[in-house]
Short mmCIF file of all heavy atoms in Angstrom, two decimals:
data_model
loop_
_atom_site.label_atom_id
_atom_site.label_comp_id
_atom_site.label_asym_id
_atom_site.label_seq_id
_atom_site.Cartn_x
_atom_site.Cartn_y
_atom_site.Cartn_z
N GLY A 1 156.22 73.33 108.83
CA GLY A 1 155.55 73.93 109.97
C GLY A 1 156.11 73.65 111.33
O GLY A 1 155.47 73.87 112.37
N TYR A 2 157.34 73.18 111.40
CA TYR A 2 157.98 72.86 112.69
C TYR A 2 158.76 74.05 113.27
O TYR A 2 158.94 74.11 114.49
CB TYR A 2 158.96 71.71 112.53
CG TYR A 2 158.25 70.35 112.34
CD1 TYR A 2 158.42 69.70 111.12
CD2 TYR A 2 157.44 69.80 113.29
CE1 TYR A 2 157.81 68.46 110.92
CE2 TYR A 2 156.84 68.59 113.13
CZ TYR A 2 157.00 67.91 111.91
OH TYR A 2 156.41 66.73 111.72
N ILE A 3 159.20 74.95 112.41
CA ILE A 3 160.01 76.10 112.91
C ILE A 3 159.57 77.35 112.10
O ILE A 3 158.91 77.27 111.09
CB ILE A 3 161.56 75.89 112.72
CG1 ILE A 3 161.88 75.76 111.23
CG2 ILE A 3 162.03 74.71 113.54
CD1 ILE A 3 163.40 75.79 110.94
N TYR A 4 159.91 78.48 112.68
CA TYR A 4 159.76 79.73 111.95
C TYR A 4 161.02 80.55 112.26
O TYR A 4 161.72 80.36 113.22
CB TYR A 4 158.48 80.50 112.35
CG TYR A 4 158.38 80.94 113.73
CD1 TYR A 4 158.75 82.27 114.11
CD2 TYR A 4 157.91 80.09 114.75
CE1 TYR A 4 158.64 82.71 115.40
CE2 TYR A 4 157.80 80.52 116.05
CZ TYR A 4 158.18 81.82 116.37
OH TYR A 4 158.10 82.26 117.71
N LEU A 5 161.27 81.55 111.35
CA LEU A 5 162.46 82.38 111.45
C LEU A 5 162.05 83.81 111.75
O LEU A 5 161.03 84.29 111.31
CB LEU A 5 163.23 82.31 110.13
CG LEU A 5 163.62 80.92 109.62
CD1 LEU A 5 164.28 81.03 108.26
CD2 LEU A 5 164.53 80.20 110.59
N LYS A 6 162.91 84.46 112.54
CA LYS A 6 162.71 85.90 112.82
C LYS A 6 164.06 86.61 112.43
O LYS A 6 165.12 86.09 112.80
CB LYS A 6 162.45 86.17 114.27
CG LYS A 6 161.01 86.00 114.69
CD LYS A 6 160.83 86.49 116.11
CE LYS A 6 159.42 86.34 116.56
NZ LYS A 6 159.21 86.74 117.97
N GLN A 7 163.91 87.73 111.81
CA GLN A 7 165.10 88.50 111.39
C GLN A 7 165.81 89.01 112.58
O GLN A 7 165.20 89.51 113.52
CB GLN A 7 164.65 89.67 110.47
CG GLN A 7 165.82 90.39 109.82
CD GLN A 7 166.62 89.57 108.87
OE1 GLN A 7 166.07 88.84 108.06
NE2 GLN A 7 167.89 89.59 108.99
N GLY A 8 167.12 88.85 112.56
CA GLY A 8 167.99 89.38 113.61
C GLY A 8 168.81 90.54 113.05
O GLY A 8 168.38 91.20 112.06
N ARG A 9 169.96 90.76 113.59
CA ARG A 9 170.86 91.85 113.07
C ARG A 9 171.49 91.38 111.77
O ARG A 9 171.90 90.23 111.64
CB ARG A 9 171.94 92.13 114.10
CG ARG A 9 171.44 92.92 115.27
CD ARG A 9 172.53 93.53 116.04
NE ARG A 9 173.29 92.49 116.69
CZ ARG A 9 174.39 92.69 117.39
NH1 ARG A 9 174.89 93.89 117.51
NH2 ARG A 9 175.05 91.71 117.96
N GLY A 10 171.55 92.28 110.81
CA GLY A 10 172.18 91.96 109.54
C GLY A 10 171.49 90.83 108.87
O GLY A 10 170.28 90.86 108.70
N ARG A 11 172.24 89.82 108.51
CA ARG A 11 171.69 88.66 107.79
C ARG A 11 171.25 87.55 108.74
O ARG A 11 170.74 86.51 108.32
CB ARG A 11 172.67 88.12 106.76
CG ARG A 11 172.95 89.18 105.68
CD ARG A 11 174.04 88.70 104.71
NE ARG A 11 173.65 87.47 104.06
CZ ARG A 11 174.49 86.78 103.29
NH1 ARG A 11 175.71 87.17 103.10
NH2 ARG A 11 174.11 85.66 102.72
N ASP A 12 171.48 87.74 110.05
CA ASP A 12 171.17 86.72 111.02
C ASP A 12 169.66 86.51 111.12
O ASP A 12 168.87 87.46 111.13
CB ASP A 12 171.68 87.12 112.38
CG ASP A 12 173.17 87.02 112.54
OD1 ASP A 12 173.84 86.38 111.71
OD2 ASP A 12 173.71 87.61 113.52
N LYS A 13 169.29 85.24 111.14
CA LYS A 13 167.88 84.86 111.41
C LYS A 13 167.85 83.89 112.55
O LYS A 13 168.57 82.91 112.64
CB LYS A 13 167.32 84.21 110.13
CG LYS A 13 167.12 85.19 109.04
CD LYS A 13 166.25 84.67 107.90
CE LYS A 13 166.11 85.75 106.89
NZ LYS A 13 165.59 85.30 105.64
N HIS A 14 166.96 84.25 113.52
CA HIS A 14 166.74 83.44 114.71
C HIS A 14 165.74 82.33 114.38
O HIS A 14 164.72 82.61 113.72
CB HIS A 14 166.32 84.26 115.88
CG HIS A 14 167.39 85.28 116.29
ND1 HIS A 14 168.38 84.97 117.18
CD2 HIS A 14 167.57 86.55 115.91
CE1 HIS A 14 169.14 86.03 117.33
NE2 HIS A 14 168.68 87.02 116.55
N ILE A 15 166.00 81.17 114.90
CA ILE A 15 165.14 80.02 114.62
C ILE A 15 164.33 79.66 115.85
O ILE A 15 164.90 79.55 116.96
CB ILE A 15 166.00 78.75 114.16
CG1 ILE A 15 166.90 79.22 113.00
CG2 ILE A 15 165.10 77.58 113.84
CD1 ILE A 15 168.07 78.24 112.75
N PHE A 16 163.02 79.49 115.64
CA PHE A 16 162.13 79.19 116.77
C PHE A 16 161.28 77.97 116.40
O PHE A 16 160.88 77.80 115.25
CB PHE A 16 161.18 80.37 117.03
CG PHE A 16 161.93 81.60 117.54
CD1 PHE A 16 162.43 82.53 116.62
CD2 PHE A 16 162.06 81.84 118.88
CE1 PHE A 16 163.08 83.64 117.07
CE2 PHE A 16 162.73 82.99 119.31
CZ PHE A 16 163.23 83.87 118.42
N LEU A 17 160.87 77.21 117.41
CA LEU A 17 159.98 76.10 117.19
C LEU A 17 158.56 76.59 117.18
O LEU A 17 158.19 77.51 117.98
CB LEU A 17 160.11 75.11 118.38
CG LEU A 17 161.40 74.30 118.42
CD1 LEU A 17 161.50 73.49 119.74
CD2 LEU A 17 161.51 73.31 117.25
N THR A 18 157.75 76.11 116.27
CA THR A 18 156.31 76.38 116.29
C THR A 18 155.70 75.46 117.39
O THR A 18 156.39 74.62 117.97
CB THR A 18 155.67 76.03 114.94
OG1 THR A 18 155.87 74.64 114.65
CG2 THR A 18 156.30 76.87 113.81
N GLU A 19 154.39 75.55 117.52
CA GLU A 19 153.70 74.64 118.48
C GLU A 19 153.92 73.21 118.04
O GLU A 19 154.15 72.33 118.85
CB GLU A 19 152.21 74.99 118.55
CG GLU A 19 151.49 74.25 119.66
CD GLU A 19 152.06 74.51 121.02
OE1 GLU A 19 152.43 75.68 121.35
OE2 GLU A 19 152.15 73.56 121.82
N SER A 20 153.82 72.95 116.72
CA SER A 20 154.04 71.63 116.19
C SER A 20 155.45 71.16 116.42
O SER A 20 155.69 70.00 116.79
CB SER A 20 153.76 71.62 114.68
OG SER A 20 153.95 70.42 114.09
N GLY A 21 156.41 72.06 116.28
CA GLY A 21 157.83 71.75 116.54
C GLY A 21 158.09 71.45 118.00
O GLY A 21 158.82 70.52 118.37
N ARG A 22 157.40 72.18 118.94
CA ARG A 22 157.55 71.91 120.37
C ARG A 22 156.97 70.56 120.70
O ARG A 22 157.56 69.75 121.49
CB ARG A 22 156.88 72.99 121.18
CG ARG A 22 157.76 74.18 121.41
CD ARG A 22 157.19 75.15 122.44
NE ARG A 22 156.09 75.93 121.93
CZ ARG A 22 156.23 76.93 121.06
NH1 ARG A 22 157.45 77.29 120.63
NH2 ARG A 22 155.19 77.62 120.69
N HIS A 23 155.82 70.23 120.10
CA HIS A 23 155.21 68.91 120.34
C HIS A 23 156.12 67.78 119.84
O HIS A 23 156.32 66.81 120.58
CB HIS A 23 153.86 68.82 119.65
CG HIS A 23 153.20 67.49 119.78
ND1 HIS A 23 152.67 67.01 120.98
CD2 HIS A 23 153.03 66.52 118.85
CE1 HIS A 23 152.20 65.80 120.78
NE2 HIS A 23 152.38 65.45 119.52
N PHE A 24 156.69 67.96 118.65
CA PHE A 24 157.64 66.98 118.11
C PHE A 24 158.81 66.78 119.05
O PHE A 24 159.25 65.66 119.33
CB PHE A 24 158.09 67.39 116.70
CG PHE A 24 158.92 66.34 116.04
CD1 PHE A 24 158.37 65.37 115.26
CD2 PHE A 24 160.32 66.33 116.23
CE1 PHE A 24 159.14 64.38 114.64
CE2 PHE A 24 161.11 65.34 115.66
CZ PHE A 24 160.54 64.39 114.85
N THR A 25 159.36 67.90 119.51
CA THR A 25 160.50 67.87 120.44
C THR A 25 160.16 67.13 121.72
O THR A 25 160.95 66.31 122.17
CB THR A 25 161.01 69.28 120.66
OG1 THR A 25 161.39 69.89 119.46
CG2 THR A 25 162.21 69.29 121.66
N GLU A 26 159.02 67.44 122.26
CA GLU A 26 158.65 66.81 123.54
C GLU A 26 158.47 65.30 123.35
O GLU A 26 158.86 64.45 124.20
CB GLU A 26 157.35 67.41 124.08
CG GLU A 26 157.56 68.80 124.62
CD GLU A 26 156.26 69.55 124.89
OE1 GLU A 26 155.16 68.93 124.78
OE2 GLU A 26 156.35 70.72 125.17
N LYS A 27 157.84 64.93 122.22
CA LYS A 27 157.56 63.51 121.95
C LYS A 27 158.80 62.71 121.57
O LYS A 27 158.94 61.55 121.95
CB LYS A 27 156.49 63.39 120.86
CG LYS A 27 156.07 62.01 120.55
CD LYS A 27 154.96 61.94 119.52
CE LYS A 27 154.59 60.53 119.17
NZ LYS A 27 153.62 60.46 118.12
N HIS A 28 159.72 63.32 120.81
CA HIS A 28 160.79 62.54 120.22
C HIS A 28 162.20 62.92 120.69
O HIS A 28 163.04 62.02 120.90
CB HIS A 28 160.76 62.67 118.68
CG HIS A 28 159.54 62.12 118.03
ND1 HIS A 28 159.27 60.78 118.00
CD2 HIS A 28 158.51 62.74 117.48
CE1 HIS A 28 158.12 60.61 117.39
NE2 HIS A 28 157.60 61.75 117.07
N ILE A 29 162.50 64.17 120.84
CA ILE A 29 163.85 64.65 121.17
C ILE A 29 164.18 64.52 122.61
O ILE A 29 165.21 63.99 123.00
CB ILE A 29 164.11 66.08 120.62
CG1 ILE A 29 163.84 66.19 119.12
CG2 ILE A 29 165.53 66.51 120.99
CD1 ILE A 29 164.62 65.25 118.25
N ILE A 30 163.26 64.98 123.44
CA ILE A 30 163.52 64.96 124.89
C ILE A 30 163.80 63.53 125.37
O ILE A 30 164.76 63.29 126.16
CB ILE A 30 162.40 65.66 125.70
CG1 ILE A 30 162.44 67.14 125.40
CG2 ILE A 30 162.51 65.37 127.17
CD1 ILE A 30 161.31 67.96 125.98
N PRO A 31 163.05 62.50 124.92
CA PRO A 31 163.35 61.15 125.39
C PRO A 31 164.74 60.71 124.96
O PRO A 31 165.41 59.97 125.73
CB PRO A 31 162.27 60.30 124.67
CG PRO A 31 161.14 61.21 124.49
CD PRO A 31 161.76 62.56 124.21
N VAL A 32 165.23 61.10 123.80
CA VAL A 32 166.60 60.78 123.36
C VAL A 32 167.63 61.43 124.29
O VAL A 32 168.54 60.77 124.75
CB VAL A 32 166.86 61.21 121.91
CG1 VAL A 32 168.30 61.02 121.53
CG2 VAL A 32 165.99 60.42 120.95
N VAL A 33 167.41 62.70 124.62
CA VAL A 33 168.33 63.40 125.54
C VAL A 33 168.33 62.73 126.90
O VAL A 33 169.38 62.53 127.49
CB VAL A 33 167.94 64.90 125.66
CG1 VAL A 33 168.75 65.60 126.73
CG2 VAL A 33 168.14 65.63 124.31
N GLN A 34 167.16 62.32 127.37
CA GLN A 34 167.03 61.66 128.68
C GLN A 34 167.80 60.32 128.65
O GLN A 34 168.54 59.99 129.56
CB GLN A 34 165.59 61.41 129.07
CG GLN A 34 164.87 62.72 129.40
CD GLN A 34 163.37 62.53 129.52
OE1 GLN A 34 162.76 61.62 128.94
NE2 GLN A 34 162.78 63.40 130.28
N LYS A 35 167.71 59.56 127.56
CA LYS A 35 168.39 58.29 127.45
C LYS A 35 169.91 58.52 127.32
O LYS A 35 170.69 57.71 127.91
CB LYS A 35 167.81 57.48 126.32
CG LYS A 35 166.36 57.15 126.56
CD LYS A 35 165.89 55.94 125.85
CE LYS A 35 164.39 55.68 126.08
NZ LYS A 35 163.91 55.75 127.42
N GLU A 36 170.32 59.54 126.61
CA GLU A 36 171.74 59.86 126.53
C GLU A 36 172.33 60.20 127.92
O GLU A 36 173.34 59.71 128.29
CB GLU A 36 171.97 61.10 125.67
CG GLU A 36 171.88 60.91 124.23
CD GLU A 36 172.09 62.25 123.48
OE1 GLU A 36 171.62 63.29 123.97
OE2 GLU A 36 172.72 62.21 122.42
N ASN A 37 171.57 61.02 128.66
CA ASN A 37 171.99 61.37 130.00
C ASN A 37 172.08 60.13 130.88
O ASN A 37 173.06 59.98 131.64
CB ASN A 37 171.04 62.42 130.63
CG ASN A 37 171.28 63.80 130.11
OD1 ASN A 37 172.41 64.20 129.86
ND2 ASN A 37 170.22 64.57 129.95
#
């Protein structure tokens, strides 16, 4: 439940964060990026 896919052109599928995925990113990924920076 962290991401969902939307059909693009041909076989391409676009990847999107769900609300749960956005929450996970805000809580865990953004702090890592900030510390890297």
Side-chain angles (χ1 to χ4, degrees):
Y2 289 115
I3 63 171
Y4 64 95
L5 306 174
K6 277 189 180 177
Q7 188 65 46
R9 286 195 292 174
R11 295 175 60 188
D12 287 343
K13 290 193 178 166
H14 296 272
I15 305 163
F16 295 87
L17 292 169
T18 62
E19 190 59 40
S20 178
R22 275 191 285 287
H23 176 71
F24 185 91
T25 299
E26 289 168 7
K27 182 177 179 184
H28 297 290
I29 304 302
I30 292 174
V32 171
V33 172
Q34 290 170 335
K35 297 204 183 312
E36 283 178 325
N37 283 323

